Amino acid sequence: MRRAPDRRRLFGLLFVLPAALYVAIFQLGPVLYGLVLSFSRYSPLSREGAVFVGLANYAALLDDPEFAQALLVTGRYVLQVLPFTIGIALGLALLAGKAFRGVGFFRTALYVPHIVSLTAVSMIWLWIYSEQGLVNDVLAVFGLPEQRWLVSEDAALNAASAMRVWKALGSNMVLLLAGLHTVPRELYEAAKVDGAGRWARLRHVTLPGIRPILTYVVAMDVIYLAQGFPEIFVLTQGGPYGSTTTVNYLIYTEAFQYNEMGSASAMAFVLFAFIAGFTVLVIRGRKS
């Protein structure tokens, strides 16, 4: 009588095994290897191999002004992009939830940037921001001087932020739109009966109703933004003068330009700690 359940359990394990092996070999394996390297001094060009140095790599980061600046740039990048990707996406979701002619095209057009790779989008915006690009052409129409968007310390990170806002709006809109459909219509009708206006309904009905999906969108946006690399690599190469060097871009240069794999691994795990800590705060904030 017990053979059938055991056989089903065996078949279930066999079906799961390929995915489990993939995760173990290509995801958990590199993570554990990187953790080991973070406590080592290792260069692929060196013959001595990995040399255990304990917490030396992490201690060095405390006195590294370049790493401190990269943390600040990453934090600024996240804070510049996040309010717009959430606020504008929520407004678009509220609009896309209305029944009007062409709403299907409206939703599709906004979502298309999300399915295009970030590298391809960055290449397009590299032309848009060039001296002969679209943005400067628009400025010329209004008689304004052209700007060097990607070679100015003041403008480069703002330019990358604007591109990332445009890229993220579609996916955030779709998620928030799905959340809006979960809010019971009866709550809006009851709020109208009580005399609540449009903004009151948004504050007291819509936002509490979509709080779970809103928390998810905020957490995922922070995770993706804190790992910003392709757009920085394509648009600015971390310049000018490190004004757009995020932690992820600094990890890239440390690992593949200076061949300091141990230091780069330590940076990666510090970044992971910051992202994990923020995610925990977001989840606890939702529950409180």
Side-chain angles (χ1 to χ4, degrees), residues 157-221:
L157 191 63
N158 295 332
S161 300
M163 186 217 73
R164 197 62 189 265
V165 169
W166 178 82
K167 177 75 167 64
L169 285 179
S171 60
N172 286 356
M173 179 202 69
V174 169
L175 292 170
L176 293 173
L177 181 60
L180 290 173
H181 286 312
T182 65
V183 182
R185 297 293 98 186
E186 295 81 2
L187 296 180
Y188 289 107
E189 295 172 2
K192 287 182 180 180
V193 171
D194 291 339
R198 181 177 301 176
W199 293 109
R201 294 196 300 271
L202 175 65
R203 179 181 177 185
H204 298 290
V205 178
T206 303
L207 293 181
I210 65 171
R211 192 175 182 183
I213 191 66
L214 190 61
T215 301
Y216 171 80
V217 171
V218 170
M220 295 306 297
D221 272 10

Side-chain angles (χ1 to χ4, degrees), residues 102-241:
V103 64
F105 175 79
F106 175 75
R107 295 175 182 176
T108 303
L110 287 172
Y111 189 73
V112 165
H114 173 68
I115 65 177
V116 181
S117 74
L118 185 54
T119 302
V121 167
S122 300
M123 293 295 295
I124 296 172
W125 282 75
L126 181 64
W127 167 77
I128 290 175
Y129 283 134
S130 66
E131 293 184 22
Q132 292 77 36
L134 181 62
V135 177
N136 281 329
D137 286 345
V138 173
L139 291 179
V141 170
F142 294 96
L144 299 174
E146 68 178 28
Q147 302 293 323
R148 303 182 68 187
W149 298 100
L150 301 178
V151 294
S152 167
E153 289 187 63
D154 296 327
L157 191 63
N158 295 332
S161 300
M163 186 217 73
R164 197 62 189 265
V165 169
W166 178 82
K167 177 75 167 64
L169 285 179
S171 60
N172 286 356
M173 179 202 69
V174 169
L175 292 170
L176 293 173
L177 181 60
L180 290 173
H181 286 312
T182 65
V183 182
R185 297 293 98 186
E186 295 81 2
L187 296 180
Y188 289 107
E189 295 172 2
K192 287 182 180 180
V193 171
D194 291 339
R198 181 177 301 176
W199 293 109
R201 294 196 300 271
L202 175 65
R203 179 181 177 185
H204 298 290
V205 178
T206 303
L207 293 181
I210 65 171
R211 192 175 182 183
I213 191 66
L214 190 61
T215 301
Y216 171 80
V217 171
V218 170
M220 295 306 297
D221 272 10
V222 170
I223 291 172
Y224 288 131
L225 291 171
Q227 299 179 76
F229 173 77
E231 65 274 33
I232 301 301
F233 181 83
V234 173
L235 293 176
T236 65
Q237 296 281 304
Y241 306 108

Side-chain angles (χ1 to χ4, degrees), residues 20-74:
L21 288 175
Y22 171 81
V23 171
I25 296 173
F26 296 104
Q27 294 186 356
L28 293 180
V31 169
L32 294 176
Y33 182 60
L35 181 61
V36 173
L37 286 183
S38 71
F39 297 105
S40 308
R41 183 179 68 248
Y42 172 66
S43 171
L45 304 180
S46 175
R47 295 183 178 180
E48 63 178 353
V51 178
F52 180 76
V53 294
L55 296 174
N57 289 327
Y58 292 95
L61 295 181
L62 297 176
D63 298 323
D64 187 351
E66 191 175 10
F67 182 68
Q69 181 182 359
L71 281 175
L72 291 175
V73 170
T74 302

